[in-house]
Amino acid sequence: MKTPPITDPFTVEICGGLLVARQHGICLFTLRLRDLPGLVLHRDRLHAQRTHGALTPLYRGNDAVTLLNRLTVALATVEKSRVWRRRLIAGVAALLAGGMALVLTLSLWAVLSPVDDRPSQARERVRINDRPGIKPLRSAVSAGGNPAAPDNWTLSASVRAHLPARLGHAASRGLFTVPLSTGHARTLYVFADPACINCQRMERHIETAAGRVNVVIFPVTSVGGTDSLTRLTPVLCLPAASRAGAWTSLFAADVGIAVPGQEAGHTADAAHCETATAALGVNDVAFRAYRLPGTPWILSDDGRYVPQAVLSSPSALDAFLETPAPPGASGIPATPTS
């Protein structure tokens, strides 16, 4: 005589935000997934255990363990589905962020890239290996074939003439600069790396100058590399109006030291950090493409290199900016040290 197969009387379904348990088609109980309790089996009784510890009876019978197994399988399936959806959403977000970063990189490079003013024959001879931003220059000759300027800046005068407008346009995008100050008649553009010793020495003078002129920082990682990238990314993640304080805090004597009772500063929006990383990469490419000899490299809005000595006093800065630049001049001879 054959033993009839034992059928499982229980079914468990997930309907929207509810878990529904049935026995032979009859509903036993429902549970909300959002605040799902723990399930406890005690002898032949199945209980729901809330966070405060109280037990709520759900089912009583010799087959309570079978019901618990059914519930476990159903909940495991739901959790797998949730994990898959989270991974899918994260993957789509990463693709979108990566695509946005790529578009940002290409668009900003179009804004910052220097104009190649060489004759067509010269461009043909140089080929790809000497393109600005791909490799460091092997000689101190400018893009136009001229010898190095007195300030050791080898960028041709014709490209320098367009540089303030390009930097101003790039700064207006609000994506990869730190505006230390605004509202003044004149502007200084500063390429700086917080890991640069000379940048650390000059920071107080740059901050002082910010009280008299607009100071726009283009952060780069030319000295600190990955360490600078780690420190600078949270700064550019912030809204433009909040970046000045975050930038100056990088140079504070107690940077990295937690002060008890002191509230944390601005919190970066993680959604913007992929864009910030791409923007820093563009700044680094522009730094090399414009053949800047070192950091900090400071430019006035008329295209002249601003020697560090000029920032030593407000009167020296005023005198420098009030003096018209001779045609083709690039500033007083001086070379910063990274």
Side-chain angles (χ1 to χ4, degrees):
M1 180 178 179
K2 292 184 178 180
T3 303
I6 300 175
T7 58
D8 186 346
F10 301 107
T11 58
V12 178
E13 298 175 344
I14 306 296
C15 302
L18 291 178
L19 180 149
V20 181
R22 293 185 174 90
Q23 183 182 35
H24 300 298
I26 300 174
C27 182
L28 294 174
F29 55 84
T30 62
L31 297 172
R32 295 177 61 182
L33 293 177
R34 188 174 62 182
D35 52 358
L36 190 68
L39 298 176
V40 178
L41 183 65
H42 181 64
R43 295 181 181 175
D44 61 347
R45 299 181 183 185
L46 181 65
H47 302 270
Q49 185 175 28
R50 303 292 176 177
T51 54
H52 50 73
L55 296 177
T56 302
L58 295 178
Y59 177 77
R60 180 177 181 178
N62 294 331
D63 50 0
V65 66
T66 303
L67 175 58
L68 178 60
N69 289 336
R70 275 286 188 177
L71 293 169
T72 302
V73 170
L75 292 175
T77 303
V78 171
E79 183 59 26
K80 287 181 180 179
S81 177
R82 286 178 175 175
V83 170
W84 182 86
R85 283 198 299 268
R86 284 196 295 265
R87 289 178 178 174
L88 177 62
I89 293 171
V92 171
L95 288 175
L96 292 176
M100 181 172 63
L102 176 60
V103 172
L104 172 68
T105 301
L106 294 176
S107 63
L108 294 187
W109 174 239
V111 171
L112 286 173
S113 59
V115 177
D116 191 347
D117 63 335
R118 294 169 294 172
S120 59
Q121 296 89 343
R123 291 196 296 269
E124 185 67 22
R125 285 195 303 268
V126 172
R127 301 288 183 181
I128 190 170
N129 287 336
D130 287 333
R131 286 180 186 172
I134 302 299
K135 280 188 176 182
L137 295 180
R138 291 190 290 262
S139 64
V141 178
S142 70
N146 300 320
D151 55 14
N152 289 333
W153 190 12
T154 63
L155 192 67
S156 66
S158 59
V159 176
R160 293 197 202 191
H162 298 282
L163 191 51
R166 286 177 173 270
L167 294 179
H169 177 54
S172 70
R173 301 285 295 275
L175 295 171
F176 52 93
T177 56
V178 177
L180 283 190
S181 59
T182 59
H184 302 283
R186 301 297 300 272
T187 300
L188 298 181
Y189 301 102
V190 182
F191 285 80
D193 184 335
C196 161
I197 298 299
N198 223 28
C199 295
Q200 297 170 13
R201 294 171 179 166
M202 290 299 299
E203 177 62 18
R204 63 186 181 91
H205 297 297
I206 293 172
E207 292 178 20
T208 299
R212 309 178 72 84
V213 297
N214 304 324
V215 174
V216 179
I217 306 291
F218 283 82
V220 295
T221 67
S222 59
V223 177
T226 303
D227 179 65
S228 291
L229 179 65
T230 301
R231 298 170 65 188
L232 289 170
T233 298
V235 176
L236 289 191
C237 285
L238 297 171
S242 303
R243 294 174 191 166
W247 170 264
T248 55
S249 68
L250 295 178
F251 298 87
D254 59 351
V255 63
I257 301 176
V259 180
Q262 186 181 67
E263 294 184 0
H266 299 282
T267 301
D269 183 354
H272 294 265
C273 288
E274 190 74 23
T275 301
T277 301
L280 285 168
V282 171
N283 288 355
D284 286 339
V285 171
F287 180 84
R288 296 191 298 271
Y290 285 123
R291 306 173 183 217
L292 304 183
T295 53
W297 195 262
I298 307 169
L299 299 172
S300 64
D301 50 15
D302 58 12
R304 287 181 292 166
Y305 164 65
V306 181
Q308 295 172 18
V310 167
L311 296 181
S312 61
S313 71
S315 59
L317 177 60
D318 290 343
F320 178 86
L321 294 176
E322 291 170 2
T323 302
S330 57
I332 303 170
T335 303
T337 303
S338 294

